[in-house]
Amino acid sequence: MRLGPAAVSTGVVFERLDLPGQPEVRARPENLTESCQCTALAEGGVRVSTVEHLLAALAGLGADNVRVVLDAEELPMLDGSARPWVELVERIGLRVQPEPRVYLRLTRLVRAQAGDRWLEARPARELSLDCAVEYDHPLIHRQRCVFVNQPEAFRRSLAPARTFGFLRDVERLNAAGLALGGSLDNALVLDDFSVLNPGGLRFPDEFVRHKTLDLLGDLALLGAPLLGRVNASRAGHRLHHALVERLAGEDGCLERVSFARPGEAAAVLEGLAIPNLQSA
Ligand SMILES: [Zn+2]
């Protein structure tokens, strides 16, 4: 796959090079589709899946308009974090575009809930995320991550955090013939007491940092940066999608605003990159 520039107001668009006519799938709330523990999009019957970590990297670095050309349905998992995407975008560079960036300003509280798991978005001057997770595991227990979206903070605090899974689930999935590509190279894997990855954790709270990264990527489906504070308690992709659909679908809860001050114009990737990124 490769990343390239797109015109102002395009947002992120995926192009399937492997299908006749090279159909496009836009990263938009109405294209959210059924998926298994990831974020998948479909438009006109064409699917693109596992988009959330790339979308998080683009949102974290402030890249608004990007064309993603790929020759498969699924994006590469890489190391399970957004760090390789950040390195790729930084190698290409960003270009400031001549139009002011458009933001989505929340006008009131919007909530999504499933049992004791919930997400709440409320008006604020900038995008901030406050996520909490709770797992009955000695390395996790309760963790909380508060993140204000700024490129440097994203690069340092969220991008390196990897997706994680439990060995018992991996064994169950393998028995069912699924997740065969999953390995210690593209996820943190935990047994009942410890991390199996030889290098250990990148942060003691890598788990909640990754959940925060996932939320940032899923919110990027709104098509423009959100101005609001989002609190999440034990949420996951399914609940993130419910919130995104509610924000996009409920009349009057989002207002499009832009600021004419320099430095707030939309940015675009400058060139194409075709590195030998291999899906693990
Ligand atoms: Zn993830």
Side-chain angles (χ1 to χ4, degrees), residues 222-277:
L222 290 168
L226 183 72
L227 299 179
R229 179 174 182 82
V230 183
N231 287 68
S233 179
R234 307 182 64 213
H237 287 300
R238 199 168 289 228
L239 210 49
H240 300 168
H241 300 163
L243 181 73
V244 164
E245 282 169 344
R246 190 158 289 183
L247 287 168
E250 282 185 17
D251 273 350
C253 66
L254 293 177
E255 185 179 66
R256 296 176 75 83
V257 294
S258 62
F259 307 94
R261 289 198 300 275
E264 288 182 324
V268 69
L269 291 159
E270 197 147 65
L272 288 174
I274 314 174
N276 41 5
L277 292 175

Side-chain angles (χ1 to χ4, degrees), residues 36-136:
C36 180
Q37 293 178 15
C38 78
T39 296
L41 302 168
E43 186 170 355
V46 177
R47 272 177 71 94
V48 178
S49 63
T50 328
V51 298
E52 62 271 23
H53 302 160
L54 172 61
L55 291 180
L58 297 174
L61 297 176
D64 300 296
N65 300 304
V66 181
R67 174 166 295 270
V68 184
V69 181
L70 65 167
D71 64 358
E73 179 188 309
E74 193 176 358
L75 270 72
M77 268 303 277
L78 305 174
D79 70 350
S81 81
R83 190 161 73 182
W85 297 122
V86 168
E87 289 167 355
L88 177 58
V89 171
E90 290 186 331
R91 205 157 71 218
I92 307 167
L94 296 176
R95 182 168 65 207
V96 175
Q97 291 182 303
E99 300 285 329
R101 169 182 280 165
V102 172
Y103 293 83
L104 299 173
R105 196 173 70 81
L106 257 169
T107 58
R108 57 179 163 82
L109 187 143
V110 178
R111 192 177 160 92
Q113 182 159 6
D116 58 352
R117 301 163 185 268
W118 55 267
L119 268 171
E120 206 166 72
R122 61 184 72 235
R125 295 169 63 91
E126 60 189 354
L127 176 60
S128 65
L129 309 176
D130 184 343
C131 293
V133 297
E134 198 177 324
Y135 286 88
D136 183 16

Side-chain angles (χ1 to χ4, degrees), residues 53 163 210 214:
H53 302 160
T163 192
H210 186 81
D214 278 339

Side-chain angles (χ1 to χ4, degrees), residues 7 19 28 34-35 45 65 95 99 109-110 132 152 157 160 168 195 199 207 212 221 238 255 263 265 269 272:
L19 297 179
R28 298 287 301 153
E34 202 55 39
S35 59
N65 300 304
R95 182 168 65 207
E99 300 285 329
L109 187 143
V110 178
E152 188 45 43
S157 311
R168 54 175 182 269
V195 172
F207 312 97
T212 312
L221 289 169
R238 199 168 289 228
E255 185 179 66
L269 291 159
L272 288 174

